Amino acid sequence: MRLWLTGMTAIGMVAQMAQAAAPETASIVVHADQSGPQVNRQVFGQFAEHLGHGIYGGIWVGPKSPIPNIHGYRRDVVDALKDIAVPFVRWPGGCFADTYRWRGAIGPQAKRSVLVNSNWGGVTEDNSFGTNEYFGFLDLIGAESYVSANVGSVPAAEVSEWVEYMTSPTGSSLAKERAANGHPAPFKLTYLGLGNELWGCGGNMRAEYAADVTRRYAAFIHPGNGNVFKIASGANGDDYNWTDVMMRDAGKEIDGLTLHYYTIPTGKWAHKGAATGFGEDEWASTLARGLRMEEMVTKHSAVMDKYDPAKRVWLVVDEWGSWYDPAPGSNPGFLVQQNSLRDALLAAETLNIFVKHADRVKMTAIAQMVNVLQAMILTDGAKMVKTPTYYVFQLYKPFQDATQLPIDIKSSWYNKDEWTIPAVSAAAVRGKDGKVHIALANMDPTQPATVSTKLAGLSASSVSGHILTAGATDAINTFDKPDTVVPQAFTGASLKGDALDVTLPPKSVVVLDLQ
């Protein structure tokens, strides 16, 4: 995992449709009489790397810990993740995966290898959370597996043997070793990442060389291992040549191709900006830079379409989210940052982009799940708190495996200094529950937005919903005050026939349910 500089100065450079002090407006047509692609539940995935307290203290405390746990897994974290229906967890990295040796983290705890995590903070890694513990965690939260294999610093045989250890139903030595370690039945390995950031910490490779490496390692993942879904290491931000070369040279050997993009308020690595205490200029720059995801997904998809018009290969955005300067007093290698209402708006606008592009974007992972970057959950000893971003994922639960409904939207423009973006972001689906769900976000931190919506092909009889907002743009949930930014019942929507009128408060995320 690394930083992708955004370099963007403005989005939507067009004439403003309203004065800055006037309420924002938007008109939307939801085509409930049409059906788009399925919004895979994997779009709402998570990422857990051996980084800071993402694993140790965040997920795993060990069975002897005084912190309430289930065989070593934090009970409060497990319960919270179950409540948002986490579809999969990517592990063990990230850059940590690029030096990971799986054998050092299996078997009796006392015999496991102890090493230094040179990627993140130079701390000791005792390997107490390894393959068996990872799959045990997935069982507890009801998630699928996405294992990132090391193809940067180990031979192909080592990756092949790890896959056999996880998946083999035979009486092979590796299968017997897994059984001796407490799991006679094969683990269910759903997704396998063939390396991580091969252009960077995964090996500093050229695209052509990375494609050859991908082909070679993929060749040793045999169908007998359970038809594992193979995901290749894709582009750094807007590197469209990387996508072109990987699709051209390795597209037939893979099932998915990744994209990594982080949102940094300043666009500068040396000083990214603070997670709290920011002004409206950094509120605007963050949300504007976040909208670059639309451009990147569109352009990478177009490149993939050249080689894969049937859209068999998934675009997997398995690292995305905000990245700020480390929290004061923290180990800078632990990537600790607060999570505010601004992050909730960033999450909502990004998820709306993924829903729009559900034909190609089939899987994503926010970075990261616990205690690192744009986390769902923060912990400190026995204390735990859910972040504003957590509650966005909770609001979007009905979007998992729903059917995308095409929408047309015309919005006024929110602008601050050089940043200009649409004031309203939206997405709509028909859920598995049969209801139509509409997500709306007002990006303007000072003005309400009036949204007029036509429901084409839908005559709803009732509307309800929830809103996520707060008094300050940098409002956070703390261990002492965990309910500052939490969903509340929303009463600002009125329905008459096929017309839905909504008034969105400033800086808010709303999800409506119609039936």
Side-chain angles (χ1 to χ4, degrees):
M1 181 175 54
R2 288 188 182 173
L3 172 71
W4 331 133
L5 298 181
T6 57
M8 187 176 118
T9 58
I11 287 181
M13 298 303 295
V14 300
Q16 288 179 247
M17 297 173 60
Q19 295 297 319
E24 306 290 1
T25 61
S27 61
I28 297 175
V29 178
V30 176
H31 294 281
D33 54 347
Q34 302 178 25
S35 293
Q38 183 185 53
V39 181
N40 279 4
R41 64 189 298 263
Q42 289 88 348
V43 166
F44 302 89
Q46 304 286 329
F47 175 29
E49 183 169 7
H50 287 245
L51 195 171
H53 296 296
I55 300 290
Y56 301 111
I59 294 171
W60 178 256
V61 292
K64 296 181 180 180
S65 173
I67 298 173
N69 67 84
I70 307 169
H71 307 302
Y73 307 97
R74 290 186 68 122
R75 184 179 296 274
D76 51 3
V77 171
V78 166
D79 290 344
L81 295 174
K82 286 171 64 177
D83 284 346
I84 58 171
V86 172
F88 74 88
V89 179
R90 180 177 181 241
W91 170 88
C95 289
F96 182 81
D98 301 320
T99 57
Y100 189 64
R101 308 300 298 271
W102 68 274
R103 278 201 162 277
I106 61 172
Q109 293 281 349
K111 295 184 178 181
R112 297 191 183 187
S113 301
V114 177
L115 52 90
V116 174
N117 188 339
S118 56
N119 285 295
W120 303 117
V123 296
T124 299
E125 164 67 55
D126 68 1
N127 273 324
S128 58
F129 190 97
T131 303
N132 289 56
E133 289 76 23
Y134 167 66
F135 281 97
F137 175 61
L138 299 182
D139 288 342
L140 286 175
I141 66 173
E144 292 184 304
S145 59
Y146 177 10
V147 171
S148 292
N150 178 0
V151 307
S153 61
V154 301
E158 183 166 324
V159 175
S160 178
E161 288 170 358
W162 191 15
V163 172
E164 183 179 345
Y165 174 86
M166 291 185 279
T167 66
S168 177
T170 70
S172 71
S173 296
L174 287 166
K176 290 178 179 178
E177 187 174 8
R178 182 191 65 236
N181 290 333
H183 207 279
F187 294 116
K188 175 59 177 174
L189 177 60
T190 309
Y191 306 103
L192 180 71
L194 296 172
N196 165 76
E197 296 184 358
L198 298 185
W199 40 263
C201 60
N204 290 321
M205 303 178 192
R206 296 177 299 107
E208 291 79 5
Y209 183 74
D212 287 342
V213 169
T214 298
R215 288 164 57 96
R216 183 161 67 90
Y217 279 69
F220 292 96
I221 310 303
H222 303 293
N225 297 122
N227 294 319
V228 176
F229 190 98
K230 296 181 285 293
I231 300 173
S233 176
N236 169 14
D238 59 2
D239 185 353
Y240 304 111
N241 177 68
W242 186 280
T243 298
D244 191 284
V245 172
M246 290 294 287
M247 289 298 297
R248 183 193 69 201
D249 294 350
K252 294 180 180 179
E253 283 75 31
I254 61 175
D255 304 298
L257 183 64
T258 69
L259 167 64
H260 291 181
Y261 174 66
Y262 287 93
T263 301
I264 293 87
T266 64
K268 299 177 181 178
W269 172 255
H271 174 63
K272 297 180 283 294
T276 59
F278 50 83
E280 188 179 349
D281 56 340
E282 287 198 3
W283 167 277
S285 67
T286 302
L287 298 180
R289 292 180 188 277
L291 283 179
R292 282 208 68 202
M293 185 66 79
E294 170 82 40
E295 170 193 333
M296 292 180 187
V297 166
T298 300
K299 291 185 177 180
H300 283 294
S301 295
V303 174
M304 295 174 75
D305 286 348
K306 288 198 311 179
Y307 303 98
D308 177 35
K311 301 183 187 296
R312 180 189 65 83
V313 179
W314 292 6
L315 180 57
V316 180
V317 190
D318 61 3
E319 290 189 30
W320 67 270
S322 60
W323 195 327
Y324 308 124
D325 292 331
S330 68
N331 184 329
F334 283 10
L335 305 187
V336 178
Q337 64 184 43
Q338 256 299 347
N339 190 296
S340 75
L341 181 64
R342 175 177 62 170
D343 297 289
L345 270 292
L346 175 64
E349 74 171 6
T350 305
L351 292 174
N352 290 347
I353 292 168
F354 295 154
V355 171
K356 177 181 177 181
H357 293 274
D359 60 335
R360 180 67 81 174
V361 179
K362 299 292 187 180
M363 187 175 185
T364 87
I366 192 169
Q368 292 188 13
M369 191 163 64
V370 186
N371 288 331
V372 177
L373 296 178
Q374 191 174 346
M376 303 289 110
I377 293 168
L378 301 177
T379 68
D380 182 10
K383 295 180 286 189
M384 187 272 282
V385 68
K386 302 169 184 175
T387 69
T389 298
Y390 173 94
Y391 289 111
V392 172
F393 276 69
Q394 185 184 72
L395 290 175
Y396 276 73
K397 276 175 63 177
F399 281 63
Q400 293 193 17
D401 285 340
T403 300
Q404 180 218 71
L405 298 179
I407 66 170
D408 302 320
I409 179 170
K410 296 180 180 179
S411 172
S412 56
W413 298 87
Y414 161 62
N415 82 294
K416 174 65 177 176
D417 299 335
E418 79 255 44
W419 308 103
T420 301
I421 63 174
V424 175
S425 170
V429 297
R430 187 181 300 279
K432 293 189 296 181
D433 56 7
K435 299 178 182 179
V436 170
H437 304 277
I438 302 175
L440 301 166
N442 181 5
M443 302 299 168
D444 193 318
T446 62
Q447 299 299 321
T450 300
V451 182
S452 300
T453 304
K454 177 178 174 57
L455 305 171
L458 175 67
S459 181
S461 59
S462 66
V463 58
S464 60
H466 288 83
I467 182 172
L468 190 69
T469 188
T473 54
D474 64 347
I476 61 174
N477 295 330
T478 66
F479 301 115
D480 296 328
K481 296 181 178 180
D483 299 325
T484 301
V485 190
V486 297
Q488 305 288 341
F490 181 67
T491 58
S494 61
L495 181 65
K496 187 176 182 180
D498 64 354
L500 173 68
D501 293 321
V502 185
T503 299
L504 299 174
K507 56 185 184 307
S508 64
V509 179
V510 170
V511 176
L512 300 173
D513 311 316
L514 294 96
Q515 59 180 343

